[in-house]
Amino acid sequence: MSFLTLTGVQKHFGAFTAVEDFTLEAEKGEFVSFLGPSGCGKTTTLRMIAGFELPSAGRIVINDVDITHRSPNQRNVGMVFQSYALFPNMTVAENIGFGLKVRKRPKEQVQKRVGELLELIHLPDRAGRYPYQLSGGQQQRVALARALAFEPQVLLLDEPLSALDAKIRVSLRNEIRAIQRQLGITTVYVTHDQEEALSLSDRVVVMNEGRIEQIGTPFEIYNFPTTAFVASFVGTLNVLAASVVDAASGRLSVDGQEIRAASVSAPNGSKVSVALRPEIVTIGGEGDGNRLSGKIEDVTFLGSIVRIRVKVGEGAGRLSFDTFNNPSLILPKIGDTLALTFPPEACLLLDAAAEIPALSIDADEA
Amino acid sequence: MPDTAADGNKRGARSARPAQRRPLLAWLGVSPFFLFTLLFMFLPAGFLVVGSFLDQEGQPTLQNYADLTTPIVANAYANSIEISAITAIGGGLFGFLLAASVILGGLPPFMRNALMTFSGVASNFAGVPLALAFIYTLGNLGFLTAFINNTFATDIGQAGFSLYSKVGLEIVYMYFQFPLMVLIIAPALDGLKRDWREAAENMGATGFQYWRYVAFPILLPSLMGAVILLFGNAFGAQATAFQLTGGTIPIASIVIGAQIRGDVLHNTGLGFAMAMGMVVIMAMAITGYSLLQRRSERWLK
């Protein structure tokens, strides 16, 4: 039985469609992330759940209650803003207790709850400070506590970590996940950072141009993308041009070198794109796997890893992959020929017309 | 290759060199300002201070300050403070409501542009032209007075209104007070983040609770600071009041003029002492404004 349900939700701003037919069912206590590039409609959808935007069509239901047309202050939904949105005229304790104060809860109850939340976010000694006296990470933790103080049914987080530096981002996202698990609160998290979405979520909703591209667990989204967009947006991809030799047996030709894919639906002789995750590619190797050789174009030493780029044939494309560094590693030389292996089931077949190179490794490096 | 401390120092030295040269040019750039303030602020102020301690024969005395408590002087200060306070609070309230309606009320952007342009002009429209404009509009033979008389058969003079009274003077002052409030408070209203309102609503607050607990307290230092500034603005005005009332309403600035320029009341030393009193009140107003503004800026940063 789903706890948060969005059914056919749409949002139009004049002629522009920001969100198109968005349908999602989230269980109680589930952590769902909306992942997508800027302007894909993820924040608009979140704001519709919060009540700051009214859907042009569709329904939003929380715990069997239709809240589609309720005002934001009648929804009992907590929200953490990208900019923290702490009230600058109030102390940390006053900020956290605000939701209870406007609900006219007794002072003792407010104080007790504020104390509990300050413990939860590990800032018990900051109760009397003002927001401008806190670091960005501390402010965001206070914003989280404030959103949880009045025990909302659903917690919404709108890119809460994007204004923080990388190190704090990682520690704070672990903290957010731990608190969410501890409280068992249904959570919707908006981000354009795939690593954040994959590491935090029970399920990820990948969005593009106002539409849902795919909903699945992080494992499914990464390993079994159902559209070219998801394949390219989540993780990094090598894309090689190939032609179908024998669809029945999954045989393909990459610049004259034959490889196999787990399943090929395109007709024989047609052009396809073969997408490969970089981590699936290994140097050398024996056995039944696919084998491709090419010339090393570039070797980049990155400390813990070494990134190697190999050109496969003349027009097929390039394969970039990483290998772990160790003191006895002999770095391959530019211009050497290298044999690479990967399993047939790792080959993701995309329509040759699918426009994804902009997000492949090669493009990232450019 | 990693940066070394030595590299950093070299870079620091290179970038510091032009910075060492620049202050000279910068000081040269601001020197006209210092010259101006020296000639037209500090020297006259010094002249005032010294003059306020001299009697008519040029002998040192404290009598001028003792005379500040005489009924004429005390009454002038009381009138100035009353008119300034009323027009600061009235103009401040009206200006704030106007600015809030245009900036936060979701009106079309051209309304904001129109209001800001009008405020920029009107806040500087004071002195003789302003007084004459009101005399031609609301004076005994003003066109609005005549219009009301002809259209509604009502003589506003007989009804008790006189432009040349204290109330009339306050109405005229309001003309430049509320636009100044609009100009001062607009940046503070712009500083109210949409996220604050949404966060308050999200936590269950009504619109009234948002204004009571969040928006108004955030704006309060700016509001108070602006009202103080408006008070100072009205307190220092002289030409408008003199042109409008011809000195029949004794306010501090007019009485100072009378003491210094010399007629029946001629006493230069007392005039200087009264001016010193005004300087103190203005200094207090500016200090209060600065303190409140600093607090507001820290919040809105």
Side-chain angles (χ1 to χ4, degrees):
Chain A
M1 179 81 186
S2 66
F3 187 74
L4 167 67
T5 309
L6 287 88
T7 312
V9 171
Q10 295 180 28
K11 182 67 190 176
H12 307 289
F13 295 103
F16 174 71
T17 300
V19 178
E20 196 178 323
D21 200 23
F22 190 103
T23 297
L24 171 73
E25 291 191 348
E27 304 296 322
K28 185 159 176 56
E30 195 176 7
F31 195 118
V32 179
S33 288
F34 295 172
L35 174 67
S38 297
C40 72
K42 54 191 190 298
T43 294
T44 306
T45 309
L46 192 84
R47 288 174 61 80
M48 285 194 280
I49 300 173
F52 301 133
E53 302 287 352
L54 208 60
S56 307
R59 290 174 71 220
I60 300 171
V61 175
I62 296 177
N63 200 15
D64 289 335
V65 178
D66 190 335
I67 58 152
T68 315
H69 297 286
R70 279 197 184 178
S71 60
N73 59 358
Q74 299 292 320
R75 295 193 175 205
N76 199 29
V77 168
M79 182 151 167
V80 177
F81 294 79
Q82 187 177 359
S83 64
Y84 322 138
L86 295 177
F87 305 135
N89 58 315
M90 295 183 198
T91 62
V92 166
E94 287 166 343
N95 263 287
I96 295 173
F98 182 81
L100 299 171
K101 185 179 176 178
V102 297
R103 283 172 169 77
K104 303 197 187 312
R105 299 277 168 81
K107 262 188 182 171
E108 305 73 46
Q109 195 183 329
V110 175
Q111 276 175 358
K112 186 168 173 279
R113 181 73 178 144
V114 168
E116 286 169 9
L117 284 156
L118 282 170
E119 289 290 342
L120 189 72
I121 59 168
H122 311 298
L123 291 174
D125 55 340
R126 298 286 195 277
R129 296 278 180 93
Y130 282 89
Y132 71 87
Q133 295 172 314
L134 303 177
S135 68
Q138 288 172 333
Q139 286 188 49
Q140 198 54 291
R141 277 193 269 167
V142 173
L144 177 65
R146 187 177 71 168
L148 293 169
F150 54 96
E151 294 172 340
Q153 301 184 90
V154 175
L155 176 66
L156 309 174
L157 300 109
D158 185 11
E159 307 209 28
L161 307 178
S162 59
L164 303 171
D165 65 56
K167 218 171 185 179
I168 295 170
R169 218 158 47 213
V170 172
S171 73
L172 201 51
R173 84 177 179 215
N174 294 334
E175 220 170 300
I176 288 173
R177 183 57 161 145
I179 289 171
Q180 186 269 340
R181 279 201 176 112
Q182 189 182 333
L183 301 177
I185 186 168
T186 309
T187 302
V188 180
Y189 188 100
V190 161
T191 182
H192 61 262
D193 183 331
Q194 48 169 299
E195 190 185 312
E196 238 170 64
L198 296 177
S199 63
L200 280 171
S201 319
D202 293 317
R203 279 191 304 158
V204 178
V205 179
V206 183
M207 294 181 71
N208 183 34
E209 293 178 346
R211 290 187 311 273
I212 294 177
E213 289 275 339
Q214 187 175 354
I215 302 176
T217 63
F219 186 84
E220 289 166 348
I221 294 285
Y222 190 84
N223 291 307
F224 308 109
T226 54
T227 68
F229 175 81
V230 177
S232 61
F233 188 75
V234 182
T236 46
L237 274 183
N238 294 291
V239 182
L240 299 172
S243 57
V244 180
V245 175
D246 180 20
S249 60
R251 285 162 56 214
L252 306 166
S253 171
V254 177
D255 198 51
Q257 302 183 62
E258 202 165 284
I259 61 167
R260 279 189 302 117
S263 71
V264 178
S265 54
N268 291 350
S270 59
K271 302 284 182 195
V272 291
S273 292
V274 179
L276 281 172
R277 296 285 185 204
E279 65 272 18
I280 215 76
V281 178
T282 53
I283 301 172
E286 300 294 327
D288 296 337
N290 287 320
R291 209 175 160 83
L292 278 177
S293 63
K295 272 202 171 150
I296 298 174
E297 268 194 347
D298 195 21
V299 178
T300 312
F301 183 73
L302 296 168
S304 63
I305 56 169
V306 178
R307 183 158 294 164
I308 301 166
R309 192 171 72 214
V310 173
K311 187 178 182 187
V312 182
E314 280 311 306
R318 290 164 177 81
L319 268 173
S320 274
F321 61 97
D322 299 335
T323 182
F324 283 114
N325 176 33
N326 71 67
S328 58
L329 181 74
I330 299 164
L331 289 176
K333 289 191 184 72
I334 294 171
D336 284 357
T337 300
L338 201 62
L340 306 168
T341 55
F342 49 91
E345 54 274 18
C347 296
L348 302 167
L349 251 66
L350 309 171
D351 188 339
E355 288 181 16
I356 58 168
L359 287 158
S360 69
I361 281 183
D362 290 349
D364 281 351
E365 284 174 354
Chain B
M1 196 176 133
D3 282 352
T4 63
D7 291 340
N9 289 340
K10 275 181 211 161
R11 269 201 301 274
R14 272 198 298 274
S15 61
R17 215 176 300 145
Q20 277 169 352
R21 276 183 199 157
R22 256 186 238 124
L24 267 178
L25 275 175
W27 284 115
L28 204 64
V30 295
S31 58
F33 165 74
F34 286 116
L35 191 67
F36 187 85
T37 51
L38 179 74
L39 289 176
F40 299 103
M41 200 171 118
F42 290 108
L43 279 180
F47 191 64
L48 264 186
V49 174
V50 174
S52 68
F53 289 103
L54 299 175
D55 63 16
Q56 309 245 32
E57 282 73 43
Q59 298 303 312
T61 180
L62 290 173
Q63 189 57 41
N64 295 328
Y65 285 94
D67 288 346
L68 289 180
T69 55
T70 56
I72 290 178
V73 177
N75 185 41
Y77 272 123
N79 281 337
S80 277
I81 289 171
E82 182 191 328
I83 292 168
S84 303
I86 287 172
T87 60
I89 293 168
L93 190 66
F94 182 52
F96 168 69
L97 292 176
L98 195 63
S101 305
V102 171
I103 293 170
L104 305 175
L107 295 178
F110 78 84
M111 282 297 294
R112 182 194 170 115
N113 294 337
L115 177 67
M116 297 314 269
T117 307
F118 164 78
S119 300
V121 174
S123 62
N124 287 296
F125 188 49
V128 176
L130 178 65
L132 289 176
F134 267 85
I135 290 168
Y136 298 149
T137 310
L138 268 175
N140 294 340
L141 297 172
F143 79 86
L144 193 58
T145 311
F147 176 79
I148 293 170
N149 202 356
N150 295 336
T151 312
F152 305 105
T154 304
D155 185 338
I156 58 172
Q158 278 188 350
F161 174 77
S162 169
L163 183 64
Y164 314 111
S165 65
K166 208 185 275 182
V167 173
L169 188 59
E170 285 162 2
I171 290 173
V172 176
Y173 274 24
M174 290 288 274
Y175 187 82
F176 57 77
Q177 290 284 67
F178 85 82
L180 184 61
M181 181 66 177
V182 170
L183 293 179
I184 298 170
I185 208 67
L189 289 169
D190 282 328
L192 283 180
K193 293 180 188 167
R194 186 182 73 168
D195 283 357
W196 289 334
R197 186 180 186 109
E198 290 185 347
E201 284 181 344
N202 177 254
M203 285 183 279
T206 60
F208 176 75
Q209 284 172 322
Y210 161 70
W211 273 98
R212 183 181 167 197
Y213 296 122
V214 183
F216 191 68
I218 290 173
L219 286 176
L220 194 60
S222 300
L223 280 171
M224 287 172 62
V227 168
I228 288 174
L229 210 64
L230 260 58
F231 177 89
N233 191 39
F235 195 73
Q238 195 260 354
T240 311
F242 192 79
Q243 180 65 32
L244 193 73
T245 65
T248 54
I249 298 174
I251 59 172
S253 55
I254 289 177
V255 174
I256 291 170
Q259 297 286 0
I260 294 173
R261 273 206 298 267
D263 53 11
V264 182
L265 291 173
H266 181 65
N267 182 350
T268 314
L270 178 58
F272 286 168
M274 283 188 73
M276 283 305 297
M278 285 191 77
V279 168
V280 170
I281 291 172
M282 294 293 273
M284 283 164 61
I286 290 168
T287 307
Y289 174 75
S290 303
L291 289 173
L292 290 163
Q293 201 61 21
R294 200 182 304 166
R295 181 176 187 142
S296 168
E297 276 170 11
R298 198 171 53 187
W299 279 353
L300 296 174
K301 209 186 296 179

